[in-house]
Amino acid sequence: MDCRRFIFAGNYGSGKTNLAVCLALYKKAAGYQTALLDLDVVNPYFISADNKALLEEHGIRLVCPLYANTNVDIPAIPPEARGLFMPEHPGVVVCDVGGGDSGAVALGQFSSDIEAAGYEMYAVVNPYRPFSKTPEEARAVLSEVEAACRLRFTSIAANPNLGRETTVDTVLSTVPYYKQLSKACGLNVAFLSALEELAPELEEKTPWPVMPVKIRTKSAWEIY
């Protein structure tokens, strides 16, 4: 099946937004009509809408909460969101889901449409973040997310990083962790993300495909 719906979900701060933006840029560069749906109505600081200018520059359609990047704190889902999940919608749709089970609730209202259209839903996991220190902790979070959105994850997006302080060793030391998580969840690791400058070396040392990324989201200390 030629999947054209890609969903990034997982725990708070796992890097969902950054991966979603990067994948949208890759798909557009590959020649696909691309839309990025920002369904993060929980955390106002790490949202795809922060990249609006970048996405528009590359011809990527951004669909985000009605009051994103404003002072109005109302979690309003854009009315055109449902249309993106319809089977007849052309092109690729990348969806950035809010953190944890509370963030995944917004996705649940589209579960039937998503199932009908076909999808890939990546469980984004960063073992350097709270509540994901062990595979058991991460698995518990992912189970809560699945229950909230009424969809099953299809694979794991390994995203081991310490932001700009990430090194090759930072990434490689987590390989046993992801192998355990993969076995516990019954999910394959779709890819391992790494900073562009680290990716060439990691491609020869990891058991999974490496997705080179740039840091597109703001750190907490850059926000306040």
Side-chain angles (χ1 to χ4, degrees):
M1 178 175 60
D2 180 20
C3 179
R4 292 181 288 113
R5 305 292 181 272
F6 301 92
I7 302 168
F8 290 89
N11 202 12
Y12 298 96
S14 57
K16 302 178 302 299
T17 296
N18 201 69
L19 292 184
V21 172
C22 288
L23 181 63
L25 290 168
Y26 289 148
K27 290 296 183 181
K28 182 62 179 180
Y32 292 95
Q33 178 182 329
T34 305
L36 177 58
L37 173 60
D38 182 348
L39 277 185
D40 192 344
V41 296
V42 176
N43 190 339
Y45 299 119
F46 300 94
I47 56 178
S48 300
D50 287 336
N51 290 276
K52 181 178 180 180
L54 173 68
L55 296 169
E56 289 181 347
E57 176 186 342
H58 286 81
I60 297 171
R61 177 188 177 195
L62 174 63
V63 179
C64 58
L66 299 179
Y67 301 103
N69 284 338
T70 73
N71 294 324
V72 181
D73 187 17
I74 300 176
I77 302 297
E80 62 266 42
R82 183 174 298 278
L84 297 177
F85 292 120
M86 294 299 176
E88 62 271 18
H89 184 276
V92 166
V93 177
V94 180
C95 181
D96 173 23
V97 180
D101 55 340
S102 57
V105 170
L107 183 66
Q109 64 185 289
F110 308 114
S111 60
S112 296
D113 296 328
I114 294 171
E115 289 274 15
Y119 70 99
E120 290 286 341
M121 188 162 84
Y122 300 115
V124 183
V125 180
N126 181 356
Y128 295 109
R129 298 297 297 167
F131 308 111
S132 299
K133 299 293 186 182
T134 67
E136 293 75 19
E137 282 186 330
R139 182 186 181 189
V141 171
L142 298 180
S143 295
E144 293 172 353
V145 170
E146 286 183 327
C149 69
R150 304 195 296 277
L151 293 166
R152 298 297 302 272
F153 285 109
T154 57
S155 59
I156 295 168
N159 191 36
N161 72 85
L162 293 169
R164 292 176 175 83
E165 303 302 317
T166 305
T167 65
V168 168
D169 288 341
T170 299
V171 178
L172 291 179
S173 65
T174 64
V175 169
Y177 170 103
Y178 286 111
K179 287 183 176 180
Q180 292 178 44
L181 180 62
S182 174
K183 183 176 181 180
C185 295
L187 297 171
N188 292 327
V189 175
F191 61 84
L192 183 148
S193 71
L195 295 173
E196 287 183 336
E197 59 268 28
L198 304 180
E201 183 174 352
L202 287 168
E203 286 174 350
E204 302 175 356
K205 298 180 178 180
T206 61
W208 310 296
V210 175
M211 176 181 175
V213 299
K214 291 183 179 180
I215 298 178
R216 302 286 187 182
T217 53
K218 299 176 183 178
S219 302
W221 53 86
E222 295 175 316
I223 295 166
Y224 294 107

